[in-house]
């Protein structure tokens, strides 16, 4: 009977792991529910239903209930003591969980205990997962494969929901393609799913050729979705990691033709990407001489166009201020919209400026006839602050590049970083580095990070003062600001020592996942959100402490 109960709990343990994995891209709520279920299984893994039933049969319901509660308490106490000892003897797990204790130590220097308490609650998985996985029997390769397949199925479900949003056209921002968690975190999940599928296709003999074919299609689907979601961070990380894998495989390959081919691809991919970007940026920021050769001089109503090639600049290879006649434009707009031409749109920009940019992106002349060609949907977009129809009609790398270039033009001209997230992050980082210098030894404490940075944003006058609540978008700098130089050094040690101690760098899945997460920390506050932290700690912990180690997961010869 005891053996049967053990088997049941083992199956429950695997299904709870699957619940957590599936919730990572789909549900913040079930991330928490799964974590609590995992803790319950950890505490009561020795529970025997037959014993509990006997209490009620022999003692009746009321007395049996109290004996049952005592039984649960006794099991939890014995299990927690025994398993905590295992955890405390696991140096790697202890060091990794020490990141949570770093957060606790930061309370000594904080003034905002309300935020510090909330932050500690989010960071609890840093303690919970290393504790549980280091003191529980490891799952085998077959169980881990099943876990990953459910995880990939959840990613597929999330991307299908996002694609439905895209097809419906009922969105104003590509962020809406990730309805359950932050699109940045969703992109990180998809990146790991792509690299896991790559392993299944290339190396895993468990799958047949038909299954591998469909997995290959899934890889293409996920990459396409990342492009539509304009996830430059995830695409950039994927590119770097794939180049790393190809370089490694190229140097380890035994056959000369394969070694040469792989290294050629490693050179070709970044070179091709550079040439493509250079060509696109040149096209978007320069106007062909043919555009204004023999231009139409008058509107259909007989008014002379203004050709302002300086004030409005260039966008997507067009002069924004070309073919412009403001009086006609203003009168025609006010007939079409209840939002006045001289008012502000819903993003706080002038309707005039948004309208002129939007009509330019549509290839329309900025006059009464041009306004008449705008659909009601176009009018709605402009009122909501959409300045380029490509942002909503054609999301993707082209659209993302347009926003980056426009943001750079505004930042270069005015010093205002509020128009684009890339330049906002640059200013966020500048503010954080100022705080590093001021609080080098002890940091600002666990709860004061947002408040300290918010005040610094206000003082910098670079258009980011309104972004109170945003932090440095660099996890390493966030840690330095919060905990000072010694906390920062411990954080780096806690990231490096555990995988070295557990020989996890021999595991392909760990290497690619850890690379995704550590690289993402250079451009994002990965561990400051529930979804990002749970993703990082769950897979890091299970791959280091909760999964049987492969004998050799990184192949010496890719042709094998």
């Amino acid at each position: 009977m005891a053996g049967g109960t053990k088997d049941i709990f083992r199956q429950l343990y695997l299904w709870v792991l699957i619940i957590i994995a599936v919730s990572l891209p789909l549900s913040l709520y079930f991330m928490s529910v799964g974590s609590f279920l995992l803790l319950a299984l950890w505490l009561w893994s020795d529970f025997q239903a037959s014993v509990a039933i006997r209490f009620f049969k022999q003692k009746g319901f009321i007395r049996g209930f109290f004996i049952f509660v005592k039984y649960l308490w006794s099991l939890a106490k014995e299990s927690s003591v025994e398993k905590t000892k295992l955890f405390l003897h696991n140096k790697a797990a202890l060091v990794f969980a020490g990141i949570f204790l770093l957060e606790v130590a930061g309370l000594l220097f904080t003034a905002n205990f309300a935020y510090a308490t909330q932050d500690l609650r989010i960071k609890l998985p840093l303690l919970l997962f290393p504790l549980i996985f280091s003191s529980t029997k490891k799952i085998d390769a077959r169980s881990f494969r099943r876990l990953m397949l459910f995880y990939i199925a959840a990613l597929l479900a999330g991307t299908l929901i996002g694609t439905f949003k895209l097809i419906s056209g009922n969105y104003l921002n590509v962020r809406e393609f990730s309805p359950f968690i932050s699109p940045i975190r969703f992109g990180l999940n998809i990146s790991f799913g792509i690299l896991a599928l790559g392993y299944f296709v290339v190396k895993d003999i468990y799958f047949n050729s038909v299954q591998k074919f469909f997995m290959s299609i899934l890889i293409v689907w996920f990459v396409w979705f990342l492009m539509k979601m304009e996830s430059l961070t995830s695409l950039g990380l994927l590119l770097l990691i794939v180049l790393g894998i190809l370089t490694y495989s190229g140097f380890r390959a035994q056959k000369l033709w394969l070694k040469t081919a792989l290294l050629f691809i490693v050179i070709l991919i970044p070179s091709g990407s550079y040439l493509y970007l250079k060509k696109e940026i040149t096209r978007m920021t320069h106007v062909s001489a043919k555009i204004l050769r023999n231009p139409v001089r008058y509107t259909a109503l007989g008014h002379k166009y203004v050709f302002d090639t300086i004030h409005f600049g260039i966008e997507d290879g067009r002069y924004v201020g070309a073919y412009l006649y403001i009086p006609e434009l203003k009168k025609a707009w006010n007939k079409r919209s209840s939002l006045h031409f001289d008012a502000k749109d819903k993003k706080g920009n002038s309707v005039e400026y948004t309208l002129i940019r939007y009509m330019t992106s549509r290839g329309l002349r900025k006059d009464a006839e041009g306004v008449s060609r705008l659909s009601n949907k176009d009018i709605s977009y402009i009122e909501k602050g959409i300045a380029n129809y490509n942002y909503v009609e054609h999301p993707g790398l082209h659209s993302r590049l347009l926003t980056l270039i426009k943001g750079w033009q505004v930042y270069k001209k005015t010093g205002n970083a509020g128009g684009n997230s890339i330049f906002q992050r640059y200013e966020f980082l500048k503010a954080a580095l100022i705080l590093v210098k001021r609080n080098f030894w002890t940091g600002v404490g666990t709860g004061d990070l947002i408040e300290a940075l918010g005040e610094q944003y206000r003082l910098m006058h670079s258009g980011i003062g309104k972004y109170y609540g945003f932090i440095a978008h660099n996890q390493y700098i966030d840690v330095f600001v919060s905990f000072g130089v010694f906390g920062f050094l411990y954080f780096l040690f806690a990231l490096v020592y555990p995988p070295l101690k557990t020989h996890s760098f021999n595991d392909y899945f760990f290497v690619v996942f850890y690379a995704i997460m550590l690289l993402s920390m250079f451009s994002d506050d990965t561990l400051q959100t529930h979804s990002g932290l749970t993703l990082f700690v769950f897979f890091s912990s299970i791959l280091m402490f909760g999964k049987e180690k492969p004998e050799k997961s990184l192949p010496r010869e890719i042709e094998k």
Side-chain angles (χ1 to χ4, degrees):
M1 182 65 72
T5 303
K6 285 286 185 182
D7 291 339
I8 292 172
F9 268 83
R10 191 63 184 168
Q11 288 301 312
L12 287 174
Y13 175 72
L14 293 174
W15 279 109
V16 170
L17 294 183
I18 288 171
I19 288 172
I20 297 173
V22 168
S23 70
L24 289 172
L26 296 181
S27 174
L28 293 171
Y29 174 75
F30 278 101
M31 285 184 212
S32 298
V33 170
S35 299
F36 282 114
L37 288 175
L38 195 63
L39 177 61
L41 288 174
W42 183 76
L43 289 172
W44 292 294
S45 59
D46 293 326
F47 176 83
Q48 294 185 41
S50 59
V51 174
I53 292 171
R54 190 164 65 246
F55 294 150
F56 291 97
K57 283 185 175 180
Q58 293 180 354
K59 303 296 183 180
F61 179 79
I62 296 177
R63 288 190 63 191
F65 174 77
F66 284 105
I67 296 173
F68 174 69
V69 170
K70 185 177 179 181
Y71 173 61
L72 290 180
W73 170 256
S74 176
L75 284 177
K77 183 178 178 181
E78 291 176 7
S79 180
S80 59
V81 170
E82 180 184 343
K83 292 178 180 179
T84 300
K85 288 180 181 178
L86 294 174
F87 166 66
L88 293 175
H89 282 87
N90 189 319
K91 293 181 181 178
L94 203 57
V95 168
F96 194 63
I99 300 174
F100 179 78
L101 299 181
L102 186 64
E103 297 279 341
V104 175
L107 294 174
L108 296 173
F109 306 101
T110 190
N112 189 340
F113 280 93
Y115 177 78
T117 302
Q118 177 186 348
D119 191 51
L120 285 175
R121 180 180 57 80
I122 292 173
K123 302 290 176 58
L124 269 175
L126 280 168
L127 177 63
L128 181 67
F129 289 136
L131 170 65
I132 292 175
F133 291 137
S134 66
S135 57
T136 303
K137 183 181 177 181
K138 300 179 189 298
I139 62 173
D140 58 20
R142 182 179 180 181
S143 298
F144 180 74
R145 186 187 296 113
R146 183 167 62 164
L147 173 73
M148 291 302 299
L149 290 176
F150 273 98
Y151 175 63
I152 290 166
L155 294 176
L156 177 60
T159 57
L160 288 173
I161 293 169
T163 303
F164 176 78
K165 191 82 171 177
L166 168 64
I167 294 171
S168 70
N170 185 29
Y171 65 92
L172 293 175
N173 193 301
V174 293
R175 295 178 62 86
E176 296 176 45
F177 297 165
S178 175
F180 305 111
I181 62 173
S182 156
I184 295 176
R185 256 63 73 180
F186 191 36
L188 297 179
N189 276 280
I190 293 173
S191 298
F192 184 42
I194 290 170
L195 293 168
L197 284 168
Y199 180 86
F200 291 150
V201 170
V202 176
K203 291 296 297 178
D204 201 323
I205 61 174
Y206 177 82
F207 301 103
N208 60 43
S209 57
V210 174
Q211 292 169 325
K212 291 187 176 186
F213 173 74
F214 282 108
M215 287 179 176
S216 300
I217 293 176
L218 264 185
I219 291 174
V220 175
W221 168 265
F222 285 149
V223 172
W224 173 84
F225 186 82
L226 287 178
M227 289 192 290
K228 281 299 178 183
M229 199 166 65
E230 301 179 7
S231 186
L232 293 186
T233 298
S234 297
L235 288 169
L237 293 177
L238 266 179
L239 182 62
L240 286 174
I241 294 169
V242 168
L243 287 175
I245 293 171
L246 292 175
T247 302
Y248 175 88
S249 300
F251 281 113
R252 304 300 294 233
Q254 301 299 313
K255 297 179 181 178
L256 180 61
W257 70 267
L258 183 59
K259 183 188 292 286
T260 304
L262 289 172
L263 296 180
F264 175 74
I265 292 172
V266 168
I267 296 172
L268 182 64
I269 291 175
S271 300
S273 300
Y274 169 77
L275 292 174
Y276 166 77
L277 287 174
K278 183 179 179 181
K279 181 181 177 181
E280 282 294 291
I281 292 171
T282 301
R283 187 190 66 77
M284 291 177 182
T285 56
H286 293 78
V287 178
S288 171
K290 298 178 182 179
I291 296 292
L292 294 181
R293 187 176 294 170
N294 300 319
V296 176
R297 297 290 181 180
Y298 295 91
T299 71
L301 298 179
H303 299 107
K304 190 173 183 178
Y305 282 120
V306 171
F307 289 86
D308 184 345
T309 60
I310 298 174
H311 179 259
F312 289 98
I314 298 170
E315 191 166 351
D316 203 9
R318 299 186 180 99
Y319 285 117
V320 178
Y323 295 106
L324 175 65
Y325 189 69
I326 295 292
E328 266 191 37
L329 188 64
K330 181 176 182 178
K331 185 176 180 180
W333 171 261
N334 287 335
K335 287 181 179 179
R336 292 289 307 273
S337 173
S338 59
L339 192 62
H340 198 272
F341 185 81
D342 297 320
K344 300 286 186 182
D345 61 36
K346 292 186 179 180
K347 289 188 177 180
N349 300 311
S350 69
V351 170
E352 175 186 352
Y353 184 60
T354 303
L355 173 62
I356 290 171
R357 284 185 59 202
Y358 189 92
M359 293 182 71
T360 301
S361 74
R362 279 288 190 190
L364 299 173
R365 294 170 184 169
K366 279 71 74 175
D367 57 16
E369 183 180 0
V371 173
S372 71
R373 294 185 179 182
L374 292 172
S375 68
N376 290 334
K377 193 173 186 180
D378 290 324
I379 298 295
S380 176
Y381 284 153
I382 294 164
E383 291 172 342
K384 291 173 180 176
I386 306 299
N388 191 311
Y389 90 103
N390 287 292
Y391 297 168
V392 287
E393 296 288 339
H394 302 291
L397 296 183
H398 176 79
S399 173
R400 182 62 170 156
L401 202 53
L402 283 174
T403 63
L404 288 175
I405 292 171
K406 188 62 182 177
W408 166 246
Q409 291 171 341
V410 172
Y411 183 67
K412 185 178 179 181
K413 184 177 181 180
T414 67
N416 189 322
N420 187 271
S421 63
I422 297 294
F423 306 108
Q424 289 167 15
R425 292 180 186 201
Y426 174 65
E427 292 295 321
F428 293 158
L429 188 59
K430 282 170 61 178
L433 291 174
I434 291 172
L435 293 181
V436 164
K437 292 178 181 179
R438 289 181 189 166
N439 306 274
F440 183 80
W441 297 107
T442 62
V444 300
T446 299
D448 292 3
L449 180 61
I450 286 181
E451 190 174 333
L453 282 171
E455 177 61 19
Q456 186 59 43
Y457 299 158
R458 187 185 65 79
L459 294 173
M460 288 171 62
H461 304 293
S462 56
I464 59 171
K466 63 181 179 180
Y467 291 95
Y468 183 92
F470 287 69
I471 44 184
H473 281 71
N474 183 306
Q475 187 63 55
Y476 304 104
I477 300 299
D478 284 342
V479 170
F480 208 137
V481 173
S482 295
F483 309 118
V485 62
F486 298 113
F488 173 69
L489 291 175
Y490 180 82
F491 179 71
L492 295 181
F493 174 71
L495 293 178
V496 174
Y497 173 78
L500 288 175
K501 180 70 174 176
T502 56
H503 306 288
S504 296
F505 288 119
N506 292 326
D507 185 338
Y508 168 87
F509 289 98
F510 177 82
V511 169
V512 297
F513 175 76
Y514 220 52
I516 289 170
M517 301 308 293
L518 296 192
L519 288 172
S520 76
M521 292 183 194
F522 284 102
S523 63
D524 192 45
D525 312 298
T526 308
L527 306 186
Q528 300 302 125
T529 63
H530 183 28
S531 57
L533 181 104
T534 305
L535 170 65
F536 171 71
V537 184
F538 176 74
F539 274 119
S540 295
S541 298
I542 202 169
L543 289 166
M544 284 193 289
F545 316 121
K547 169 181 171 283
E548 292 178 357
K549 293 289 184 290
E551 291 183 6
K552 194 180 291 182
S553 186
L554 290 176
R556 297 178 68 89
E557 298 179 28
I558 195 169
E559 65 266 27
K560 290 184 180 179

